[in-house]
Amino acid sequence: MSTLASSLDPQAFTFISNLVRRKSAIVLESEKAYLIESRLTPVVRELGLLNISELVTELQKPGSQNLNQRVVEAMTTNETSFFRDIHPFTALKDKILPGLIQRRAKEKSITIWSNACSSGQEPYTIAMVLAEHFPMLKNWKIRLISSDLSNRILDKARLGVFNQTEINRGLPMNYLLKYFTKEGGQWTIREDIRKMIEFRELNLVEPFPNLLTKMDIVFLRNVLIYFSPETKTEILKKVHAVMHKDSYLFLGGSETTMNLNVRFEREQIGTAVCYRPVA
Ligand SMILES: C[S@@+](CC[C@H](N)C(=O)[O-])C[C@H]1O[C@@H](n2cnc3c(N)ncnc32)[C@H](O)[C@@H]1O
């Protein structure tokens, strides 16, 4: 059996960081070499290769698109949790949805987009808040679109099955008891909640597909941090173009539109910060 060489040579670093940047816009500075090693070592092992340089050779062979995609996906950070940072969900419940329900009373339609949704805790949180606090929306056309670059993580999101550690991170007990069932050591989300969500693969740096409708609420949290200012600007402009005039954008706690040439205004709603598109 071969032993795994551990040091990443500079050409391999350059190749992988260029590939990841080209395909996902994620910027890997040289101090992130350790991340490449830790994330790609399992792929190297699985393929029976000696080291990441050999993986780079494989990535350059014709017909290696799936392997390229797998490497890009392995380099994404999928950290997430239920009710992450709580404030956006409180604002959703107390102010945003009640206001939208009044303003959309005629068309009876609301569209919410959970972007870079990772393993689904964010869209499932939104779906549970809707079910818990807005039963009157049952007769409305509610679209809860949920997307990510990574098909691997979307497959997990679609299943709606979470382990105890994932459940322990942020999910209140009353939601657990009401919206999940336990099978073995795993918790499965209720089928009616799972069915509220349209999961789709979407790479933020590619042109957006026609989502057939404009957004009332966009969650775009904890993903812009991985991009250059130019990429953030480009993405926010595309997001702006698919938002209704009176809609709301949530970014992650450490993200902002400040210093970017985009047309959003920061608004405080209770304890939450959101961004409103301006013309
Ligand atoms: C840290 S998670 C954020 C999850 C969730 N939004 C939250 O705040 O808890 C970042 C997600 O962004 C996704 N991602 C990275 N680059 C992307 C891109 N170019 N297009 C779409 N999703 C991307 C990753 O696959 C990952 O699931």
Side-chain angles (χ1 to χ4, degrees):
M1 220 173 72
S2 59
T3 50
L4 200 64
S6 65
S7 62
L8 183 63
D9 80 57
Q11 282 99 331
F13 172 80
T14 306
F15 183 91
I16 301 283
S17 59
N18 285 345
L19 167 70
V20 171
R21 188 160 189 160
R22 204 169 58 247
K23 299 268 188 195
S24 71
I26 295 170
V27 179
L28 294 167
E29 307 286 8
S30 51
E31 68 270 15
K32 290 283 167 67
Y34 76 92
L35 204 61
I36 296 185
E37 286 212 75
S38 64
R39 300 263 175 90
L40 297 188
T41 296
V43 180
V44 164
R45 286 221 170 93
E46 231 177 86
L47 296 175
L49 302 172
L50 192 58
N51 53 32
I52 294 176
S53 300
E54 281 196 2
L55 178 63
V56 166
T57 308
E58 293 300 310
L59 288 165
Q60 294 174 85
K61 290 185 177 164
S64 62
Q65 290 87 339
N66 287 348
L67 185 58
N68 276 263
Q69 176 69 12
R70 187 156 161 219
V71 164
V72 173
E73 291 190 7
M75 290 311 305
T76 60
T77 299
N78 301 123
E79 168 74 15
T80 188
S81 56
F82 291 103
F83 289 90
R84 185 173 188 176
D85 303 336
I86 195 71
H87 308 296
F89 305 103
T90 307
L92 208 60
K93 170 171 84 65
D94 292 345
K95 293 266 189 255
I96 296 178
L97 282 165
L100 276 171
I101 288 169
Q102 280 189 357
R103 301 203 295 281
R104 305 284 187 267
K106 223 166 92 196
E107 53 277 48
K108 287 195 175 341
S109 154
I110 294 177
T111 305
I112 305 174
W113 184 9
S114 165
N115 227 301
C117 69
S118 188
S119 38
Q121 283 88 331
E122 181 176 276
Y124 286 129
T125 300
I126 301 168
M128 287 186 286
V129 167
L130 288 171
E132 185 69 14
H133 298 284
F134 301 95
M136 69 293 256
L137 292 178
K138 275 223 163 85
N139 307 322
W140 284 43
K141 184 169 188 287
I142 303 296
R143 280 189 78 194
L144 181 39
I145 301 167
S146 192
S147 62
D148 200 280
L149 155 95
S150 163
N151 241 324
R152 182 185 54 83
I153 204 73
L154 279 174
D155 281 344
K156 171 162 167 51
R158 280 187 193 102
L159 275 181
V161 177
F162 298 93
N163 64 31
Q164 193 65 51
T165 313
E166 292 165 327
I167 291 291
N168 290 347
R169 294 191 59 204
L171 188 69
M173 183 57 83
N174 56 322
Y175 278 81
L176 176 63
L177 297 176
K178 190 161 174 187
Y179 295 105
F180 289 80
T181 51
K182 194 169 189 192
E183 285 160 43
Q186 306 277 88
W187 293 90
T188 305
I189 193 113
R190 233 167 61 186
E191 186 61 5
D192 58 325
I193 301 292
R194 200 177 70 81
K195 278 193 170 151
M196 288 171 67
I197 306 173
E198 284 172 47
F199 287 104
R200 51 196 297 169
E201 191 183 342
L202 188 146
N203 187 341
L204 285 162
V205 291
E206 286 172 4
F208 288 173
N210 184 0
L211 295 165
L212 300 173
T213 173
K214 284 213 162 190
M215 304 299 149
D216 296 301
I217 305 168
V218 177
F219 282 74
L220 178 68
R221 302 194 307 154
N222 304 301
V223 64
L224 293 183
I225 32 168
Y226 301 108
F227 304 144
S228 69
E230 295 73 30
T231 307
K232 289 180 202 190
T233 305
E234 244 175 71
I235 292 171
L236 284 168
K237 283 185 174 163
K238 288 192 292 184
V239 168
H240 186 286
V242 298
M243 291 177 72
H244 277 301
K245 280 199 188 97
D246 61 344
S247 59
Y248 304 81
L249 168 69
F250 285 107
L251 301 179
S254 63
E255 296 163 332
T256 170
T257 60
M258 253 170 58
N259 302 326
L260 299 174
N261 181 20
V262 290
R263 302 195 310 272
F264 285 98
E265 248 170 31
R266 185 180 186 280
E267 187 175 310
Q268 183 95 29
I269 302 184
T271 51
V273 169
C274 76
Y275 296 85
R276 311 292 303 271
V278 287

